[in-house]
Amino acid sequence: FGSRPLCSKNTPIRKAFPSRAIEAPSLRSAVASTNRTFAAMGAEPTMRAKLAGEFIGTFLLVFTVGCNVLSGNATWGGISIGCLLMVAIYALGGISGANFNPAVSLALALTESAGGKGIDWKTAGSYMGVQVVAGAMASVCYSVLFWDTFNLRPADGFGYLESGLCEMLYTFVLCFVVLNVAVAKDNSPNQFYGFAIGSVIIAGAYGAGAVSGGCFNPAVAFAIDLASAGLGFGWCIYWVLCEFMGAAMAVGAFMLVRPQDFGKEKGMVAELFSEFLGTFILVLTVGLNVLGKSHAGAYSIAASLTCMIYALGDVSGAHFNPAVTIALLISGRCGDGLSPAKAGSFVGVQLAGGGVAALVTTLIHRGEAFPLGPGETFGWVEVAIAEAVFTFVLCYVVLCVAVSATTKAPVMFGLAIGACVTAGGNAIGAISGGSLNPAVSFGIVAAEMINGGGIVPFLAYALFECIGAVAAAGVFKVTHAVDVEGMSLDSKA
C-alpha cells in the first residue's frame, strides 16, 4: 500500500508510505539503527561473526522444525517455526544478514550478479556451507532429544510433481519477500522485514506442508533426510533442486517488479505483474489450506496476504482484491494515482491471478476442488450478510491504515490488513467460507467449473463483496473527512 500507486503526487493528501531510496546490500541493510552504529564506530562484523550468526540461526530453525514435527504440533507448528525465523532475523540481521537458508543466499548472490544489491558469491558459498552443517547438527540433536525421527518424502497420495511444485512455489515466495523487504531500494530499511519473512513460513507450512512437508529451505531438507537416512535417503536432492529453482524465479520476478533497482525505468507492467502475483499467491494459499484441511487455515491465508502486502505495497499498492480496488477508487483519495482505467486493469489481472492459482491448486491436488456456497444450515441471505460485513471490514481497514493521513500505520499496515482475514475467516468461515475477495471467489469457482460447476456462485459472492466495498468507501468519507478538511485549512493558511 505504497504512496505512489494509491495517491497521486498532485493530490493534497499526505503520502501514505513515502519511498526512501537507500541502498541495502543484504538482509543486514534492513536494520538501520545497527548499521548506523557500526558506521559510527567505523567497524563491521567480521566474517567469523557472520558465519557464527548463520550457524546459530540455521541450527535453531532446524531444531524448531524437528521438535514441532516430532511433537505432533499440527495446529501451532507452522506458527512456531515462523516465529523462530522472525526473531532470529531480528536478532542476527545486523550481523550476518540472517539468511539461514541456502536458497536465500543463492537469491541474494544472483541479484548482485544481475546488477542489484545482494551478496557476493564467496560470501554466499561460505554461508551455504555453514547453513548445511548447522542444519545437520540440529537434526542430530532433535533426534536424540526425542529418540525418534521422521522421513523426508511427499505426503501420502502425492508424488514428485505435486511436492516439487509446493517446494518451488513457496521457496519462491520466501526469497521474493526477502528481496522486496530487505534489499529493494524503495522499500528498505523498514521495521517490518522480519515479520514479513516469518509470515511466509506460516503461509506455506499448512497448505503446502500437507503435500511436501513444507521445507522451503535446502538446509532443512538435507537435515531431515540425513537424520532419517535409516528410513531412506535421497528426496532431499529433488527438494533442493526445486528450492533453488524457486530462488532463481524469485530473482527474475524481483527484477520485473523493481526494474529501477537494476538501472531501468519502472512502468505499468511492474504494477500489473505485482497485482497478478500477489493475488496468485493469496488464492493459491486459500486453495491449499482448504484442500489440505489445515488446522490454522485463516491465519495461514492472512499470513500470505500480509507478507505480499509488505513486499509489494510500494509497487502497485498491493490491492490483490477487486473489492479493495473498488473501495479505493470510490473513496476519491487517490486522484490520478488510481484512474478508472487503471482500476479496471487491476481488477482484470487480479481475476486472472485467482484463476491461474485455481488451476495450479487443482493440479497439485490431482483434480480435487471444493464448492463456493453456503455452509450447512445456512442460506444465501446469511452468506450475503456475512460476506458484505467482513469485506466492509477489510476494505475499511485498508482505507484507514494505508490511505488516511490521520490513521495511517506505516509499520503495522500489513499486519492490520492481514488480521481482517484472520477475523473474517474464523468468524464466518462456517457460513460462507469467508472469501471477502472476488478474486478468491472466482478462483474457487474456476476450479469447480473444471468438475462441472457453474459461475453463478461467483457472481453472487462478487456482488455481496462489492456492496461491502462501496459501504466501506462511504463510511470512510464520513469518519475520515478530517483528512481533507485539515489539508484544506493548511492550503488556505
Side-chain angles (χ1 to χ4, degrees), residues 166-223:
C166 286
E167 288 297 315
M168 180 181 71
L169 287 171
Y170 280 92
T171 303
F172 161 84
V173 177
L174 178 60
C175 295
F176 182 75
V177 170
V178 167
L179 293 172
N180 278 279
V181 303
V183 174
K185 293 179 180 179
D186 293 341
N187 201 31
S188 62
N190 56 67
Q191 292 299 312
F192 51 71
Y193 66 103
F195 179 72
I197 297 167
S199 294
V200 178
I201 303 303
I202 299 172
Y206 295 94
V211 177
S212 68
C215 293
F216 321 139
N217 184 332
V220 172
F222 176 75

Side-chain angles (χ1 to χ4, degrees), residues 6-199:
L6 290 184
C7 299
S8 167
K9 292 181 180 179
N10 297 322
T11 304
I13 302 294
R14 198 167 68 213
K15 288 186 176 182
F17 300 106
S19 300
R20 289 160 291 181
I22 298 178
E23 297 189 355
S26 69
L27 283 177
R28 184 173 66 253
S29 63
V31 192
S33 60
T34 303
N35 281 354
R36 286 195 295 268
T37 301
F38 284 134
M41 296 172 58
E44 183 178 333
T46 64
M47 180 56 71
R48 179 180 178 182
K50 294 177 182 179
L51 295 179
E54 287 298 305
F55 181 93
I56 293 169
T58 310
F59 179 93
L60 292 175
L61 176 62
V62 175
F63 187 72
T64 303
V65 170
C67 289
N68 273 283
V69 173
L70 292 173
S71 296
N73 194 356
T75 301
W76 289 96
I79 298 171
S80 170
I81 297 164
C83 287
L84 185 283
L85 178 60
M86 175 188 70
V87 299
I89 287 172
Y90 281 126
L92 292 165
I95 302 300
S96 68
N99 297 10
F100 311 148
N101 184 334
V104 170
S105 297
L106 174 64
L108 290 167
L110 288 172
T111 300
E112 182 168 274
S113 295
K117 298 298 179 181
I119 58 177
D120 59 73
W121 284 102
K122 181 179 179 180
T123 301
S126 299
Y127 278 14
M128 290 180 189
V130 169
Q131 291 156 0
V132 170
V133 171
M137 292 181 66
S139 70
V140 172
C141 290
Y142 71 64
S143 297
V144 171
L145 181 64
F146 284 85
W147 209 244
D148 194 6
T149 189
F150 56 97
N151 202 11
L152 181 72
R153 62 178 181 82
D156 294 339
F158 300 100
Y160 278 95
L161 175 62
E162 299 85 5
S163 58
L165 276 173
C166 286
E167 288 297 315
M168 180 181 71
L169 287 171
Y170 280 92
T171 303
F172 161 84
V173 177
L174 178 60
C175 295
F176 182 75
V177 170
V178 167
L179 293 172
N180 278 279
V181 303
V183 174
K185 293 179 180 179
D186 293 341
N187 201 31
S188 62
N190 56 67
Q191 292 299 312
F192 51 71
Y193 66 103
F195 179 72
I197 297 167
S199 294

Side-chain angles (χ1 to χ4, degrees), residues 355-369:
V356 174
L359 296 177
V360 174
T361 304
T362 303
L363 175 63
I364 291 173
H365 278 268
R366 300 186 173 185
E368 189 178 355

Side-chain angles (χ1 to χ4, degrees), residues 376-454:
E376 291 185 25
T377 74
F378 296 100
W380 283 100
V381 173
E382 291 89 345
V383 167
I385 295 172
E387 287 293 319
V389 168
F390 279 94
T391 304
F392 165 86
V393 172
L394 175 61
C395 295
Y396 184 69
V397 169
V398 168
L399 291 167
C400 292
V401 303
V403 175
S404 170
T406 304
T407 58
K408 69 174 183 176
V411 175
M412 304 301 290
F413 65 102
L415 174 61
I417 296 164
C420 296
V421 175
T422 303
N426 284 294
I428 63 169
I431 301 174
S432 65
S435 175
L436 319 181
N437 184 334
V440 171
S441 301
F442 179 73
I444 295 171
V445 168
E448 187 68 7
M449 288 176 67
I450 297 174
N451 298 324

